[in-house]
Amino acid sequence: MVCRLRRSLYGLKQAPRAWFERFASVVTAVGFSPSAHDPALFVHTSPRGRTLLLLYVDDMIITGDDSEYIAFVKACLRENFLMTDLGPLRYFLGIEVFSTSDGFFIFQEKYIQDLLARAALGDERTIETPMELNVHLRASDGDPLPDPTRYRHLVGSLVYLAVTRPDISYPVHILSQFVYAPTSVHYSHLLRVLRYLRGTSTRRLFFPRSSSFQLQAYSDATWASDPADRRSLSAYCVFLGGSLIAWKTKKQTAVSRSSAEAELRAMALLTAEVTWL
Protein backbone atom coordinates (compact mmCIF):
# COMPACT_ATOMS: atom_id res chain seq x y z
CA MET A 1 0.00 0.00 0.00
CA VAL A 2 1.30 3.43 -0.94
CA CYS A 3 0.02 6.74 0.44
CA ARG A 4 0.52 9.70 -1.86
CA LEU A 5 0.72 13.08 -0.13
CA ARG A 6 -1.11 15.79 -2.05
CA ARG A 7 0.16 18.55 0.23
CA SER A 8 3.04 18.91 2.67
CA LEU A 9 2.52 17.86 6.28
CA TYR A 10 3.66 20.09 9.12
CA GLY A 11 6.77 18.69 10.78
CA LEU A 12 8.26 16.86 7.81
CA LYS A 13 11.78 17.79 6.73
CA GLN A 14 10.57 18.86 3.30
CA ALA A 15 7.63 20.91 4.61
CA PRO A 16 9.51 24.26 4.87
CA ARG A 17 10.89 23.88 1.34
CA ALA A 18 7.47 22.94 -0.04
CA TRP A 19 5.83 25.87 1.75
CA PHE A 20 8.37 28.40 0.47
CA GLU A 21 8.12 27.08 -3.09
CA ARG A 22 4.34 27.39 -2.93
CA PHE A 23 4.47 30.93 -1.51
CA ALA A 24 7.15 32.04 -3.98
CA SER A 25 5.12 30.74 -6.92
CA VAL A 26 2.09 32.77 -5.79
CA VAL A 27 3.94 36.09 -5.28
CA THR A 28 5.98 35.75 -8.47
CA ALA A 29 2.75 35.16 -10.38
CA VAL A 30 1.51 38.60 -9.31
CA GLY A 31 4.69 40.35 -10.41
CA PHE A 32 7.22 40.04 -7.56
CA SER A 33 10.85 39.04 -8.09
CA PRO A 34 13.15 37.63 -5.40
CA SER A 35 15.94 39.94 -4.29
CA ALA A 36 19.49 38.99 -5.20
CA HIS A 37 20.57 39.78 -1.63
CA ASP A 38 17.87 37.86 0.26
CA PRO A 39 15.67 35.11 -1.27
CA ALA A 40 12.93 35.84 1.30
CA LEU A 41 12.66 39.48 0.12
CA PHE A 42 10.45 40.01 -2.92
CA VAL A 43 10.47 43.25 -4.91
CA HIS A 44 7.98 44.68 -7.41
CA THR A 45 8.77 47.82 -9.40
CA SER A 46 6.32 49.73 -11.57
CA PRO A 47 5.88 53.34 -12.79
CA ARG A 48 3.74 53.96 -9.69
CA GLY A 49 6.50 52.97 -7.27
CA ARG A 50 8.22 50.06 -5.59
CA THR A 51 6.64 47.43 -3.35
CA LEU A 52 8.55 45.18 -0.95
CA LEU A 53 7.40 41.92 0.63
CA LEU A 54 9.53 40.36 3.37
CA LEU A 55 8.75 36.80 4.50
CA TYR A 56 9.88 35.06 7.69
CA VAL A 57 8.37 31.53 7.84
CA ASP A 58 4.67 32.50 7.70
CA ASP A 59 4.93 36.11 8.91
CA MET A 60 5.35 38.88 6.38
CA ILE A 61 5.70 42.63 5.99
CA ILE A 62 4.36 44.41 2.91
CA THR A 63 5.34 48.02 2.27
CA GLY A 64 5.80 50.34 -0.66
CA ASP A 65 4.63 53.40 -2.59
CA ASP A 66 1.78 51.79 -4.57
CA SER A 67 -1.17 51.34 -2.18
CA GLU A 68 -3.41 49.96 -4.95
CA TYR A 69 -0.93 47.23 -5.78
CA ILE A 70 -0.52 46.36 -2.09
CA ALA A 71 -4.31 45.90 -1.83
CA PHE A 72 -4.18 43.70 -4.95
CA VAL A 73 -1.40 41.55 -3.46
CA LYS A 74 -3.35 41.09 -0.22
CA ALA A 75 -6.41 39.95 -2.17
CA CYS A 76 -4.33 37.41 -4.11
CA LEU A 77 -2.78 36.07 -0.91
CA ARG A 78 -6.22 35.65 0.67
CA GLU A 79 -7.34 33.60 -2.32
CA ASN A 80 -4.44 31.16 -1.90
CA PHE A 81 -3.76 31.13 1.85
CA LEU A 82 -5.57 31.52 5.14
CA MET A 83 -4.24 35.01 5.92
CA THR A 84 -4.86 37.55 8.67
CA ASP A 85 -4.24 41.23 7.95
CA LEU A 86 -2.93 42.82 11.15
CA GLY A 87 -2.97 46.36 9.77
CA PRO A 88 -0.10 48.87 10.05
CA LEU A 89 3.17 47.43 11.30
CA ARG A 90 3.48 47.62 15.10
CA TYR A 91 5.06 44.34 16.21
CA PHE A 92 7.12 41.84 14.22
CA LEU A 93 9.19 38.98 15.65
CA GLY A 94 9.70 40.69 19.00
CA ILE A 95 10.53 44.06 17.43
CA GLU A 96 8.13 46.94 18.08
CA VAL A 97 7.59 49.72 15.55
CA PHE A 98 6.16 53.14 16.34
CA SER A 99 5.38 55.61 13.56
CA THR A 100 5.25 59.40 13.87
CA SER A 101 5.07 62.27 11.41
CA ASP A 102 8.85 62.67 11.71
CA GLY A 103 9.85 59.04 11.22
CA PHE A 104 9.87 55.57 12.71
CA PHE A 105 11.08 54.18 16.03
CA ILE A 106 12.05 50.52 16.43
CA PHE A 107 12.63 49.01 19.86
CA GLN A 108 12.21 45.84 21.92
CA GLU A 109 10.85 47.07 25.23
CA LYS A 110 8.42 44.16 25.68
CA TYR A 111 11.16 41.71 24.74
CA ILE A 112 13.42 43.19 27.43
CA GLN A 113 10.68 42.97 30.07
CA ASP A 114 10.06 39.32 29.19
CA LEU A 115 13.80 38.64 29.31
CA LEU A 116 14.12 40.22 32.76
CA ALA A 117 11.15 38.17 33.98
CA ARG A 118 12.83 34.96 32.78
CA ALA A 119 16.12 35.98 34.37
CA ALA A 120 14.37 36.43 37.76
CA LEU A 121 16.83 38.96 39.17
CA GLY A 122 16.69 39.15 42.93
CA ASP A 123 16.83 42.96 43.16
CA GLU A 124 15.62 46.09 41.37
CA ARG A 125 19.01 47.71 40.82
CA THR A 126 19.97 49.48 37.60
CA ILE A 127 23.44 50.23 36.26
CA GLU A 128 24.57 53.07 34.01
CA THR A 129 26.89 51.05 31.74
CA PRO A 130 26.59 47.49 30.40
CA MET A 131 30.22 46.59 31.17
CA GLU A 132 33.06 47.98 33.23
CA LEU A 133 35.96 49.69 31.51
CA ASN A 134 39.17 47.75 30.76
CA VAL A 135 37.69 44.37 31.71
CA HIS A 136 39.46 41.40 30.13
CA LEU A 137 37.61 38.18 30.85
CA ARG A 138 39.32 34.81 30.70
CA ALA A 139 37.90 31.32 30.42
CA SER A 140 39.54 30.42 33.78
CA ASP A 141 37.99 33.30 35.76
CA GLY A 142 35.79 32.14 38.64
CA ASP A 143 34.20 28.76 39.33
CA PRO A 144 32.37 26.81 36.60
CA LEU A 145 28.58 27.04 36.77
CA PRO A 146 26.94 23.75 37.79
CA ASP A 147 24.26 24.26 35.13
CA PRO A 148 25.19 26.56 32.23
CA THR A 149 21.73 26.33 30.64
CA ARG A 150 20.46 29.64 32.06
CA TYR A 151 23.63 31.47 30.99
CA ARG A 152 23.36 30.15 27.44
CA HIS A 153 19.67 30.99 27.25
CA LEU A 154 20.17 34.57 28.43
CA VAL A 155 23.16 35.22 26.17
CA GLY A 156 21.26 33.83 23.19
CA SER A 157 18.37 36.19 23.98
CA LEU A 158 20.78 39.13 24.20
CA VAL A 159 22.19 38.26 20.77
CA TYR A 160 18.73 38.82 19.28
CA LEU A 161 18.19 41.94 21.36
CA ALA A 162 21.35 43.45 19.86
CA VAL A 163 19.37 43.77 16.60
CA THR A 164 17.94 47.03 17.95
CA ARG A 165 20.42 47.79 20.75
CA PRO A 166 23.88 48.53 19.37
CA ASP A 167 24.96 49.73 22.82
CA ILE A 168 25.13 46.10 24.06
CA SER A 169 26.88 44.74 20.98
CA TYR A 170 30.31 44.72 22.63
CA PRO A 171 29.41 43.06 25.96
CA VAL A 172 27.25 40.47 24.19
CA HIS A 173 30.18 39.69 21.90
CA ILE A 174 32.43 39.17 24.92
CA LEU A 175 29.95 37.08 26.94
CA SER A 176 29.05 34.85 24.00
CA GLN A 177 32.65 33.59 23.85
CA PHE A 178 32.16 31.66 27.10
CA VAL A 179 28.84 29.88 26.48
CA TYR A 180 30.59 26.51 26.24
CA ALA A 181 31.87 26.69 29.83
CA PRO A 182 30.63 29.81 31.70
CA THR A 183 31.82 30.61 35.21
CA SER A 184 30.47 32.63 38.11
CA VAL A 185 32.48 35.67 36.97
CA HIS A 186 30.99 35.53 33.48
CA TYR A 187 27.51 35.20 34.98
CA SER A 188 28.03 38.26 37.17
CA HIS A 189 28.93 40.33 34.09
CA LEU A 190 25.84 38.95 32.36
CA LEU A 191 23.67 40.15 35.25
CA ARG A 192 25.26 43.58 34.91
CA VAL A 193 24.07 43.76 31.29
CA LEU A 194 20.55 42.79 32.40
CA ARG A 195 20.52 45.49 35.09
CA TYR A 196 21.68 48.00 32.50
CA LEU A 197 18.80 46.96 30.23
CA ARG A 198 16.33 47.35 33.09
CA GLY A 199 17.19 51.04 33.34
CA THR A 200 17.34 51.63 29.57
CA SER A 201 14.49 49.46 28.28
CA THR A 202 12.77 52.43 26.58
CA ARG A 203 15.72 53.35 24.36
CA ARG A 204 14.86 53.27 20.66
CA LEU A 205 16.41 53.55 17.23
CA PHE A 206 15.00 56.43 15.18
CA PHE A 207 14.75 56.48 11.40
CA PRO A 208 13.73 59.97 10.18
CA ARG A 209 11.55 60.31 7.10
CA SER A 210 13.55 63.23 5.71
CA SER A 211 16.94 61.55 5.79
CA SER A 212 19.61 61.86 3.12
CA PHE A 213 21.05 58.87 1.27
CA GLN A 214 24.66 59.63 2.15
CA LEU A 215 26.58 56.83 3.85
CA GLN A 216 28.77 57.71 6.82
CA ALA A 217 30.85 54.97 8.42
CA TYR A 218 33.06 54.77 11.50
CA SER A 219 35.43 52.04 12.62
CA ASP A 220 37.56 51.34 15.67
CA ALA A 221 39.77 48.59 17.03
CA THR A 222 41.22 47.47 20.34
CA TRP A 223 44.72 46.04 19.97
CA ALA A 224 45.37 42.60 21.53
CA SER A 225 42.32 42.93 23.76
CA ASP A 226 41.89 39.19 24.31
CA PRO A 227 44.42 38.03 26.95
CA ALA A 228 44.08 34.40 25.82
CA ASP A 229 44.96 34.59 22.12
CA ARG A 230 46.12 38.25 21.82
CA ARG A 231 43.74 38.90 18.95
CA SER A 232 42.32 42.37 18.47
CA LEU A 233 38.70 43.47 18.20
CA SER A 234 37.11 45.25 15.25
CA ALA A 235 33.99 47.38 15.50
CA TYR A 236 32.10 49.64 13.11
CA CYS A 237 28.83 51.46 12.60
CA VAL A 238 27.27 52.78 9.40
CA PHE A 239 24.75 55.63 9.07
CA LEU A 240 22.48 56.30 6.11
CA GLY A 241 21.90 60.00 6.57
CA GLY A 242 20.80 60.23 10.20
CA SER A 243 19.78 56.56 10.49
CA LEU A 244 21.99 53.87 12.01
CA ILE A 245 21.58 50.90 9.66
CA ALA A 246 24.53 48.57 10.34
CA TRP A 247 26.95 47.81 13.16
CA LYS A 248 29.18 44.95 14.23
CA THR A 249 31.69 43.92 16.88
CA LYS A 250 33.95 41.05 15.83
CA LYS A 251 37.22 39.50 16.89
CA GLN A 252 39.87 39.67 14.19
CA THR A 253 40.84 36.39 12.54
CA ALA A 254 44.61 36.99 12.80
CA VAL A 255 46.94 38.42 15.41
CA SER A 256 47.83 42.05 14.68
CA ARG A 257 51.39 42.95 15.55
CA SER A 258 50.68 46.65 16.13
CA SER A 259 47.78 48.93 16.90
CA ALA A 260 48.06 50.37 13.38
CA GLU A 261 47.62 46.91 11.87
CA ALA A 262 44.57 46.30 14.08
CA GLU A 263 43.04 49.59 12.94
CA LEU A 264 43.69 48.74 9.29
CA ARG A 265 41.97 45.36 9.67
CA ALA A 266 38.96 47.11 11.19
CA MET A 267 38.89 49.57 8.30
CA ALA A 268 39.07 46.70 5.81
CA LEU A 269 36.08 45.01 7.47
CA LEU A 270 34.14 48.26 7.34
CA THR A 271 35.12 48.93 3.73
CA ALA A 272 33.70 45.56 2.70
CA GLU A 273 30.41 46.40 4.45
CA VAL A 274 30.20 49.87 2.88
CA THR A 275 30.96 48.43 -0.56
CA TRP A 276 28.13 45.92 -0.19
CA LEU A 277 25.72 48.63 1.03
Side-chain angles (χ1 to χ4, degrees):
M1 301 295 292
V2 177
C3 178
R4 180 183 179 185
L5 295 179
R6 300 187 61 87
R7 62 180 61 187
S8 62
L9 296 179
Y10 183 81
L12 296 181
K13 291 183 178 180
Q14 296 297 326
R17 180 186 61 83
W19 151 249
F20 184 77
E21 287 185 352
R22 169 64 176 157
F23 182 86
S25 65
V26 171
V27 295
T28 53
V30 298
F32 279 100
S33 300
S35 170
H37 305 294
D38 188 345
L41 176 64
F42 297 88
V43 184
H44 175 268
T45 304
S46 69
R48 293 181 296 183
R50 176 177 295 178
T51 304
L52 306 176
L53 189 153
L54 178 65
L55 177 71
Y56 183 85
V57 188
D58 58 351
D59 297 317
M60 72 186 74
I61 299 175
I62 306 176
T63 185
D65 307 314
D66 192 349
S67 57
E68 294 182 3
Y69 182 73
I70 292 177
F72 167 72
V73 171
K74 290 181 180 180
C76 293
L77 291 175
R78 290 193 189 95
E79 293 178 359
N80 292 273
F81 308 106
L82 181 62
M83 190 187 80
T84 302
D85 187 356
L86 300 179
L89 180 62
R90 295 185 180 90
Y91 190 84
F92 187 75
L93 303 178
I95 299 175
E96 299 172 70
V97 181
F98 181 70
S99 175
T100 67
S101 59
D102 297 325
F104 294 88
F105 292 91
I106 66 170
F107 53 100
Q108 291 176 275
E109 184 176 356
K110 182 180 182 301
Y111 183 89
I112 293 176
Q113 298 302 331
D114 294 340
L115 176 60
L116 294 175
R118 294 196 304 269
L121 298 178
D123 55 61
E124 297 296 328
R125 286 192 299 152
T126 60
I127 296 179
E128 296 295 328
T129 58
M131 180 169 279
E132 298 176 10
L133 291 175
N134 302 319
V135 172
H136 301 289
L137 298 179
R138 301 173 182 266
S140 57
D141 292 340
D143 300 322
L145 296 178
D147 184 10
T149 303
R150 176 184 290 270
Y151 181 92
R152 294 168 180 169
H153 171 74
L154 294 176
V155 170
S157 300
L158 291 177
V159 169
Y160 185 68
L161 179 60
V163 171
T164 61
R165 293 294 299 265
D167 51 339
I168 66 169
S169 177
Y170 172 75
V172 170
H173 167 79
I174 298 299
L175 295 173
S176 62
Q177 298 181 42
F178 306 104
V179 292
Y180 65 97
T183 67
S184 56
V185 174
H186 305 146
Y187 189 70
S188 65
H189 285 277
L190 173 61
L191 296 182
R192 180 187 178 93
V193 177
L194 295 177
R195 292 189 175 97
Y196 168 76
L197 291 172
R198 174 188 285 159
T200 60
S201 61
T202 58
R203 289 189 177 177
R204 308 176 177 188
L205 285 179
F206 179 60
F207 297 89
R209 296 181 186 270
S210 59
S211 180
S212 68
F213 288 97
Q214 180 182 5
L215 284 175
Q216 301 181 35
Y218 306 88
S219 70
D220 196 7
T222 58
W223 180 47
S225 57
D226 193 320
D229 54 20
R230 307 303 295 172
R231 285 194 286 172
S232 306
L233 201 67
S234 299
Y236 67 76
C237 61
V238 183
F239 290 84
L240 180 62
S243 304
L244 179 62
I245 61 171
W247 59 89
K248 175 177 279 190
T249 302
K250 182 181 180 182
K251 184 186 289 188
Q252 296 181 0
T253 56
V255 176
S256 298
R257 290 171 290 183
S258 67
S259 59
E261 184 177 350
E263 296 284 355
L264 286 173
R265 290 183 186 274
M267 291 179 63
L269 180 67
L270 173 60
T271 302
E273 178 72 12
V274 171
T275 302
W276 184 85
L277 290 172

